[in-house]
Every structure is written in C-alpha cells, then in structure tokens.
Amino acid sequence: MRDDTRRWTEADKRHCWHPFTPQAAWTAGEPLVIVRGEGAWLWDSEGRKYLDGNSSIWTNIHGHRHPALDEAVRRQLGDVAHTSYLGFANPRASELAEKLCAFFPAGTLERVFFSDDGSTAIESAMKMAIQFRQLTGEAGRDGFIAFDQAYHGDTLGAASLGGVSRFHDRFRKHGAEVTFVAGMDALKDLPGEVAAKAAAVVIEPLIQGVNEMRPWPAGMLRELRQWCDATGVQLILDEVMTGFGRTGRMFACHHEDVIPDYLCLAKGLTGGYLPMAAMLTTGRIYDAFLGDDSRAFYYGHSYTANPLGCAVALASLGVFETEQTLERLQPMIARMAERLARLKAGHPRVHEIRQCGFVAGIEIRQADGTPFPAAEHFGARVCTAARDHGLLTRPIRDTIVLMPPLCTGPDELDHAVSALDHALATT
Ligand SMILES: *Cc1c(COP(=O)(O)O)cnc(C)c1O
C-alpha cells in the first residue's frame, strides 16, 4: 500500500463518518480511495482503474473530466464562485432556469426554485404544496400520499415520504402525515377523505431506484396524473434519479406526456459535478404566492443557485445537444438489455433483470429461487469481487446496480458486464 493511501485511510477510519454505512464494518475493511476520473473510468490511490458502474452514486452523466464541463467551471471561476441569490440575480441561474423550463410546453412548468440536493428539492416541493393550500383556502389539506418502498431523500420531511422500513421507520413520527399505497389500485381504493386531506402525492416516475430498481407498469404515470386531476391532489415527481437522460428520454415524465405540479431534479443536473437541485413548478402555483409579503415562500439555503453549479449544469445541457447524447444512448440501452439477458442465461443465480433506459438492477438469488440470507451480504460480495475485474458498483441488498454514465461506449459496457460475469462465477 502506498504511503498516501495509508495516510488517507487512517485519517478516514479515525475521523470520517460515511453515509448509509455501518461504520464498524467499514473501519474493519480497507476502503478504496478514489483519486481521479476520466470519462466513464475512475482510478484509486493505488493506481488501479475501474469503470464507474453506478455513475458515482447515480450522479454522473457525460463522464468525469468532460472538457466542456471542466471549462464551464473554470470560466465561471474567472468571474466568481458564489454570490447570494437572496437579494441578487446571477447570469448562470437566469440562463439555466430558462433552459430547464424550455423542456416543457409553454404555460406548464415555468418557474424554477433552486436548492442544494435531491432531499431539499423534495423538501421545497412539500413546503410549497402545504403553503399553496393555505393560500388557496384549504389550510387543512396538508397530508401527503406516497408509495410503498419509495425513497425521496434523508432530511426529515423528505424521509417521511420514504417507504423503506429499514431506513425510515425510526423517524416516522417526526415527519409529515403520509398515507402509503402499493400502487394505482390501492390509491384508487383510498377512502375519499384521505384524498380530500392530501396536498400532494409523490412518486419516483417509471422506476423506483432505492427499491432495488423496480419499474412501474407502463401507463401508470398517466393514470396517476388523471387521478390527481379528478381528486385535486397535486403531483410531485421525484426525478432526482430518473432525470437527465437516465431513462432514455430527457425526463421520465416525457415517456407518458405527463406534466407534474412539482418536478424535483438534482443528481444529474450538474452532470454529476456539483451538488445542486432545481424544483420546477407551474405559473398557477407561483401566482398563489403573489400579493402581500405574508404570502411569500420563506424558504432557502445559503448556496441557492450557486453560480458554479449553474454554469456546469448549463454546460451539461449543452453537451446533450453537441454530442446528441440521447440519440447515441438508444443503441446502448438495447445493448445493455442484450448483454444482461446473456448474463442471466449464463448464471442460474441471476434471478431477474430489471431495466429502465440505461439503469439496470440485477437481482441475485440462490439457484432454487429463494433469496440469500441477508447476513451473507451476497450482493456486496459480488460487487467486491467485481472490483478485481475493473468495475465499481454497489448493490441494494442482493440487487446489483448497473447504471454507468451515459457516455459509456459499447466496449466499456461489455467490460462492465464481463466483470459481473467473472464476479458471479467466483463468488
Ligand atoms: C438520491 C435520491 C434522492 C435524494 O437526493 P440527495 O441528493 O441524495 O439528497 C431523492 N429521490 C431519489 C429518487 C433519489 O434517487
């Protein structure tokens, strides 16, 4: 082990506390220190190279060190790194808001509220939905409806919309009033008074990410929009994971021509470069907040609309055009389906492949179809083995996530699947 690696891992084990991490097991292991990236690849402090198989926790879009994104940050640094959005406008935020709204028909989503990450995008939508009811004479309508096994972030409000019991149950009573449903049938069966008391319903459209990459039935999103229109419940779409091309279209809601009342974007917004979020909403909702000062939306964060984040987000949207990212992605989505079908055929323990666009979950079970005992951490062991074959990714329980950056080429995708193939054969 190199001296640097030893120094960094010792300081990590002594002073750092990692997200979603049982620290005792972490400090007993040997963490990789990631020091460099380029395109779809990452390098650790020992000089080993890996394909970034989960886009650095679902964030990276066009690859690491993309010249256009790097240049956008550098150019913005030549002007200023951060200025307050409370009391001042900034050029990049103006340009970015205009560009984001242009993805939707005029008169629909036309206002952008910036924040810092997926959780705060959700948090701001929740608060806006509650205040909207207060401003429109329905103050008691402050509940939410969410879906079983959903994940919407970790701040208290966003976490209360979460349906993953191992993460969310212990904080349940500290958040919003939330009714959980399994799907459209259960939603339609809810007593009328639940809908009448609900400010909004929230969903990860097309596919639930943290719920082991589980796609919703086709047409479900459009049905949900119709139910919202019929009941007057507003629709919050959490596209924190699905946004920016991941599903094969720019946004998941484009697949079913659905326009939400609130659209939450984060992870891929900056191409995976900087923490930043945007929540888009309609002119109708915006207008309700006009009038005397007491109607204003008193919410914000110190780094709201950070110019570096806005600059790199603009550059990322530019690359979608100059590199025709979505057009080039379509054959790659087909290739991923074909390669993963072959992987399944070769390994009886691959129980199911769940794919939506360029996102896949590969569920591993015992050969007889029963799940591995949780204590075996089988999915994690497969991912650790895959490192030796040049692939970095993480499982969600025993579902291995494969969602490399959208810039991943055919040979790179084959490399990733082949690493999983070797890892499965030796675990
Ligand atoms: C990651 C994620 C969030 C939370 O975003 P953070 O940036 O981690 O706060 C919310 N919703 C979905 C669907 C996510 O995947």
Side-chain angles (χ1 to χ4, degrees), residues 82-90 297-305:
H82 182 67
T83 57
S84 173
Y85 206 54
L86 175 62
F88 304 100
N90 84 58
F297 190 50
Y298 290 109
Y299 180 105
H301 298 289
S302 315
Y303 283 95
T304 295

Side-chain angles (χ1 to χ4, degrees), residues 14 59 116 123 140 165 189 191 247-248 271 282 319 324 340 349 425:
R14 205 169 309 124
T59 59
D116 299 346
E123 208 72 41
S165 48
D189 285 347
T247 67
T282 63
V319 170
Q324 303 212 293
L340 290 180
R349 291 180 301 181

Side-chain angles (χ1 to χ4, degrees), residues 147-297:
F147 288 86
D148 290 348
Q149 307 300 326
Y151 179 82
H152 298 294
D154 281 319
T155 53
L156 268 179
S160 67
L161 301 175
V164 182
S165 48
R166 67 190 186 282
F167 301 152
H168 298 126
D169 277 0
R170 70 173 77 242
F171 300 111
R172 179 79 54 219
K173 75 172 178 12
H174 300 283
E177 192 73 46
V178 183
T179 303
F180 285 91
V181 291
M184 273 318 293
D185 289 345
L187 183 68
K188 288 175 176 168
D189 285 347
L190 280 179
E193 60 268 25
V194 174
K197 284 274 290 170
V201 55
V202 58
I203 188 170
E204 298 155 84
L206 260 61
I207 178 170
Q208 287 187 317
V210 172
N211 185 19
E212 302 169 18
M213 297 300 171
R214 226 166 279 279
W216 292 112
M220 185 258 205
L221 189 58
R222 190 171 301 171
E223 234 186 299
L224 177 60
R225 177 73 261 186
Q226 286 161 358
W227 181 87
C228 286
D229 292 340
T231 55
V233 175
Q234 292 186 326
L235 178 59
I236 301 174
L237 289 190
D238 179 350
E239 293 227 30
V240 172
M241 189 273 274
T242 54
F244 302 101
R246 209 64 80 170
T247 67
R249 306 282 297 268
M250 189 53 103
F251 299 109
C253 60
H254 285 160
H255 288 269
E256 299 194 11
D257 289 322
V258 162
I259 310 274
D261 298 285
Y262 308 91
L263 177 67
C264 299
L265 305 172
K267 292 193 170 98
L269 171 63
T270 60
Y273 268 52
L274 286 163
M276 166 151 197
M279 189 268 285
L280 277 63
T281 190
T282 63
R284 174 173 163 264
I285 290 166
Y286 174 80
D287 287 345
F289 290 72
L290 303 178
D292 69 70
D293 290 359
S294 70
R295 298 180 79 86
F297 190 50

